Amino acid sequence: MSSLLRGEEMCLAQLFLQSGSAYDCISELGELGLVEFRDLNPSVNAFQRKHVNEIKKCEEMERILGYLLREVKKADISLPERDVNPGAPLPKHVMAIMEQLQRLEVELGEVTRNKEKLQRNLLELTEYTHMLRITRNFVQRTAEREPLQVQYEEFPFLEKDTMMDYSSMQRLGAKLGFISGLIQRTKIEAFERMLWRVCKGYTILSYAEVEEYLDSPDTGEPTKSVVFLISYWGEQIGQKVKKICDCYHCHLYPYPSSNEERNDVVEGLRTRIQDLHTVLYRTEDYLRQVLIKASESVYTWVIQVKKMKAIYYILNLCSFDVTNKCLIAEVWCPVNDIPTLRRALEEGSRKSGATVPSFVNRIPTNDTPPTLIRTNKFTSGFQSIVDAYGVGSYREVNPAPFTIITFPFLFAVMFGDLGHGVIMTLFAFWMVLYENNRKLKRTRNEIWNTFFEGRYIILMMGLFSIYTGLIYNDCFSKSLNIFGSGWSVKAMFNAGVWKMDGIHGNHFLTLDPNVTGVFTGPYPLGIDPIWNLASNRLTFLNSYKMKMHFRKKYNVYLVFLPELLFLLCLFGYLVFMILYKWLVFSAKDSRQAPSILIHFINMFLMQGDAVQPLYPGQNGLQVFLVVIAVLSVPVLLLGKPLYLYWLHNGRHRLGMYRGYERVRRNSEEELYLLRAHDMEEGSSHSDLSSSGECQTEEFDFADELLHQAIHTIEYCLGCVSNTASYLRLWALSLAHAQLSEVLWAMVMRVGLKMDTTLGVLFLVPVFGLFAVLTVSILLVMEGLSAFLHALRLHWVEFQNKFYSGMGVKFCPFAFSLLPSSAEHEGLL
Amino acid sequence: MPSLLFCGPKMAACGIVISIWGVIMLAMLGIFFSAKSAVLIEDVPFTEEDIRNDKNPPQNIYSLYNQVGINCFIAAAIYVAVGAVSLCQVRLNKRQEYMVT
């Protein structure tokens, strides 16, 4: 468990890998996820590294795999659900995979292109069919009238225009031409207007809409089209009309000149369409077969390619030694895991069949190692809360073990309701029980993922809320009478203080605890339920909650002496006064009990005579405490800089650095000791690690003094503001209780108060509404709010005191932690 | 026979959760009203005349308490029915899920 408190001890190690077995050894390490590799070639850019060609090949394979996955997903084929975990492929197998992938890509591309061509053909034929069918209706009207006069009904304007009548056009030798085709419905009006403007009556346009939706070939979406028929006189007009049709992207089809020709074409089209349907069906079937076959192995390939790419990336980080036969890698490794590391290297060497084994060598270093804190599924949630503020420095005290208790407690103080706590606990319990359900683990919904990761936190918060709910005696804004109330109304009557007539007049009655029999004793756990009915409930609860909070927060401060003294003198004394007042003054003297707040203020102002003292000798004691507190401030301010200054001056004479400086933070002290220890071991400085900044010899007094002054001011002001900040605990619990009460009064009471038979039916939806509002407003909104404030309290007021959080997190090289590129795109 | 399925899987799950909660909470409320708990006095629909014109002092209020209690029990029973319907919906949803794939 010390690992959770302080983090693991880490060391820098060198791995000597034989060239032949380097790949296998790193593959073994990747499976285990033990070590973090350091980059030994930082000045080399990505394109000049040794294995850049292999990485390029891997990326090519990833591209093809991405394409395959997209096609598989489009065809709605489900990927196999089993948890496969193939190992990284050997370089000799890679060529086979690459070939297969390329073949698949080519085949898939061909089949898809064919299918698209066929679909386009089919669309054209269908349009042609529609066009023929509809234009038959245009012409049939006129065909019926042929035996009548020469004047066509379709050309009524010719009667009026003497210049352009049919006979004169025939004499000019102009031929009647037809253009027919389809156009999108959205464009037909503009088309018509354009035709009129350009051709001015030498053309006639008839059109009708096609009833079915046709897939437009460009977008693939169903659109409505319109069949049109243009009749025109003369060649020139015909060319103009053709140009306009091009402009509007019309699909033109040849117009049959006679009915027989039309029927022939229609027959031919029908058979061709049937054939096309068959061919298309077969093609789609074949495509699906190909995709199904590909989908069986594509998942495996994705993982294999990902692992291979990672291994080559790591190989790029290593460097060759002087003999050029062996690779050197530098890793950060937890000290406890070095035997496992040795075994992994042996395993890798054995798998690759190398004669000379690879080995590991531990080297000393001055660099700060990354921080590793081992967590299990329970503690990882709390650790991530602490890490969000900052990852702990190496071997610094980790606040996470304390957070496991304090965080849910602070949340519960702000949330304190029995009913809501029960619901929250049940919800968290359900998530914990089903945590191995694969469907829950793999959802893409980010908000749900956040809740799921924090399921243990929510469980703890729920349990603590139940506890504080019992203390506050608040369950859905009603109190529970478990033990029997300590107050008795009847006793007031017995003592004769109240009389029957007097009661009718008064709206508010006060129960006087001084009268015998009224107050039989304190309630065993929490607040007496009768307070729920009292009107001065809020004032009582407020003062109760404020005292509860002051008492509980001091056990978490870890500070050193002047700070501690400062704190105790002022706030410790306040706590003492509160306790004293509780114990000494009973309800009898309540009229004479002095207010603590006034006393506290007077203490600072050094006026003691105006108010009656709490206990003898109070004045003297208070003065003494204030003096001590005030004196501790300059000690805090000047102590450290003066000490360091003296040490620095003294060191010049001694000529030797002994790192035993007293510093104000535990972690830095450890680090200084560690460095001194290293130096005393007599380690050589000609080591291979890349950074070895030695202890700076400069000591700037002014700098140090300023630093310490800032810290002092920050600390003193922080004390006051932090205490005030804890008042948010009280404020939020008040808000929660009031919201809960309002919800009950406005929703449930309406349902319960209806006493007719209708009331029963009304109660059912009212309860449903109450449930939904409770969950959404009180649980989710208030819960998030309380969570946020508890988090803020932790980060700013608690971790600010002693936690520096400037470390680097240990990221081991592990295949399970690397996302593949396909997952990046959300395909898997 | 037309499909009896009228809500999706998530809606049916919500229905079950609210029904269970409703049954438990309304049943407990019913018990507390029948036990004439003082804390729930403000939820009982009494008026000034009830108190003033009472022949037997607490009996009017007590009968009102009982009435509200019975209301709560009936509502709990209705929620049992709602829960049963939701359960059927959940089962039908699961069956449909198996049939499609």
Side-chain angles (χ1 to χ4, degrees), chain A residues 637-649:
Chain A
L637 176 66
L638 296 170
K640 181 189 166 194
L642 284 176
Y643 182 70
L644 286 177
Y645 181 68
W646 170 80
L647 206 61
H648 180 78
N649 279 346

Side-chain angles (χ1 to χ4, degrees), chain A residues 7 55 92 197 213 287 337 363 475 485 533 565 612 664 672 724 766 816:
Chain A
I55 293 191
K92 55 191 181 208
R197 284 214 191 106
Y213 278 94
L287 185 64
D337 280 340
I363 53 177
C475 172
S485 172
L533 299 173
L565 214 51
Q612 190 184 7
R664 70 171 189 277
Y672 275 123
V766 158
S816 51

Side-chain angles (χ1 to χ4, degrees), chain A residues 150-215:
Chain A
V150 169
Q151 263 179 341
Y152 283 80
E153 292 235 344
E154 286 204 350
F155 306 94
F157 67 91
L158 284 179
E159 295 165 330
K160 297 164 194 131
D161 196 347
T162 48
M163 282 287 291
M164 298 291 151
D165 71 333
Y166 181 59
S167 41
S168 64
M169 291 308 285
Q170 271 197 320
R171 262 182 271 124
L172 284 174
K175 240 180 50 145
L176 190 64
F178 292 98
I179 288 187
S180 59
L182 274 89
I183 186 177
Q184 284 185 6
R185 185 177 64 178
T186 46
K187 297 185 187 167
I188 185 67
E189 276 131 21
F191 183 58
E192 190 175 7
R193 232 171 281 142
M194 176 69 90
L195 265 182
W196 175 254
R197 284 214 191 106
V198 172
C199 307
K200 286 199 192 13
Y202 283 92
T203 62
I204 311 256
L205 171 71
S206 332
Y207 59 87
E209 198 171 300
V210 179
E211 306 85 29
E212 309 149 1
Y213 278 94
L214 296 170
D215 283 338

Side-chain angles (χ1 to χ4, degrees), chain A residues 454-471:
Chain A
R455 57 193 182 277
Y456 284 103
I457 305 180
I458 300 183
L459 183 64
M460 295 289 282
M461 294 192 319
L463 287 172
F464 273 78
S465 296
I466 295 182
Y467 169 69
T468 52
L470 279 174
I471 298 277

Side-chain angles (χ1 to χ4, degrees), chain B residues 5-7 9 11 18-20 22 24 28-30 33 38 41 51 59 61 65 68-70 76-77 87-88 90-91:
Chain B
L5 196 67
F6 54 84
C7 49
M11 179 92 150
I18 292 193
S19 306
I20 295 180
I24 298 180
M28 286 180 61
L29 268 182
F33 271 115
I41 187 80
I51 302 188
Q59 286 317 110
I61 305 287
Y65 260 108
V68 181
I70 291 180
L87 195 64
C88 284
V90 164
R91 283 225 216 98

Side-chain angles (χ1 to χ4, degrees), chain A residues 423 476 478-479 529 532-533 744 748-749 752-756 760-761 763-765 767-768 770-772 774-775, chain B residues 18 21-23 25-26 29 32-33 38-45 64 67-68 71-72 74-75 78-79 82:
Chain A
I423 297 178
F476 291 117
K478 299 280 169 195
S479 305
N532 201 287
L533 299 173
W744 181 279
M748 274 304 261
R749 196 162 289 170
L752 289 170
K753 277 216 171 183
M754 302 194 86
D755 50 343
T756 56
V760 175
L761 295 175
L763 187 58
V764 173
F767 177 78
F770 173 75
V772 168
T774 298
V775 168
Chain B
I18 292 193
W21 183 2
V23 167
M25 186 151 165
L26 285 170
L29 268 182
F32 286 141
F33 271 115
V39 155
L40 295 166
I41 187 80
E42 284 165 24
D43 296 315
V44 175
L64 278 172
Q67 209 168 1
V68 181
N71 277 356
C72 285
I74 297 180
I78 295 184
Y79 264 109
V82 169

